[in-house]
Amino acid sequence: MRIIVLHTPKGGSGKSTLARELAVAATLAGRHVAMADLDPQGTTTGWYRRRTAPAPALVAFQPTDDTAQLEAAGLEWLVIDTPPGAPPWIGDLLGRADAVLVPVRPTPDDLLAAAPIARGLARCPAWAFVLSQVPPRSRLTEGAVRQLAALGRVAPAQIGFRADFPSAAIEGKAAVEFTGKAADEARDLFAYARQLLQEPTDDQTEG
Ligand SMILES: Nc1ncnc2c1ncn2[C@@H]1O[C@H](COP(=O)(O)OP(=O)(O)OP(=O)(O)O)[C@@H](O)[C@H]1O
Ligand SMILES: [Mg+2]
């Protein structure tokens, strides 16, 4: 089982949104997926309650929990949504994650916070920044990619500022379940997460 964590101390960057998009994209791709909500705000839990589709599951999981039971149940991906700030357990969770995605809005304030975040991820085998809520045609974005690339990996898949993300969440859905640019971006991010996890490509798994 692979543990994928959405993490950044910056509030409102897109952790919960991208956790849901990735978990649903992985489910649509045929994986056995669960989500865990470690944020007392309960954003993902609320979304899950509004959701009518049975998958992905939402499981009770604490940062130091053993994963044997989840693995025995055949779970392939556990996507973990984390709170803003720096809870005392975050270092341990990041240390046991197979991949960590760090959403960053391309604003000077968010970029300032990126260097300490990168330092905190030193123990993680695979992590990347993901540009999130990217406004259309902004000069800030190119500069943001350059600045982030000096600190760590940057996902080539960027997530635009699109109403489809919150709109889908109203009914407990993800944009990736619809068609459009938001869905394409979420799918591209899923493909990148697979790359980070070094999952075989579809070409390699066929035949
Ligand atoms: N790509 C996007 N386009 C438009 N709106 C977005 C996008 N991503 C997130 N949002 C909206 O921005 C707000 C914050 O997003 P989200 O809850 O995913 O961030 P978060 O990092 O989980 O926040 P918190 O730190 O409070 O947990 C939400 O209202 C969400 O619907
Ligand atoms: Mg959140």
Side-chain angles (χ1 to χ4, degrees), residues 33-48:
V33 183
M35 300 186 74
D37 187 3
L38 294 183
D39 185 352
Q41 294 179 105
T43 309
T44 291
T45 305
W47 171 82
Y48 186 76

Side-chain angles (χ1 to χ4, degrees), residues 84-101:
W89 43 261
I90 195 72
D92 289 337
L93 181 70
L94 298 176
R96 68 189 296 210
D98 296 292
V100 178
L101 291 170

Side-chain angles (χ1 to χ4, degrees), residues 20-163:
R20 298 185 301 229
E21 294 294 336
L22 281 174
V24 173
T27 300
L28 293 175
R31 278 174 190 65
H32 187 182
V33 183
M35 300 186 74
D37 187 3
L38 294 183
D39 185 352
Q41 294 179 105
T43 309
T44 291
T45 305
W47 171 82
Y48 186 76
R49 289 203 186 113
R50 298 193 297 277
R51 186 167 174 82
T52 50
L58 183 74
V59 293
F61 178 84
Q62 293 307 311
T64 51
D65 278 358
D66 190 66
T67 55
Q69 236 182 336
L70 296 175
E71 297 198 36
L75 202 66
E76 293 168 289
W77 272 37
L78 177 63
V79 180
I80 302 183
D81 186 16
T82 62
W89 43 261
I90 195 72
D92 289 337
L93 181 70
L94 298 176
R96 68 189 296 210
D98 296 292
V100 178
L101 291 170
V102 180
V104 182
R105 289 163 296 202
T107 67
D109 295 340
D110 277 35
L111 290 168
L112 253 186
I117 297 173
R119 283 196 291 277
L121 282 160
R123 280 168 58 206
C124 179
W127 69 272
F129 293 114
V130 181
L131 276 172
S132 157
Q133 302 173 37
V134 175
R137 295 177 294 281
S138 166
R139 277 187 299 126
L140 286 173
T141 309
E142 242 175 72
V145 171
R146 263 199 311 276
Q147 283 188 50
L148 294 175
L151 300 169
R153 267 187 278 220
V154 185
Q158 296 182 2
I159 303 293
F161 188 87
R162 302 187 188 284

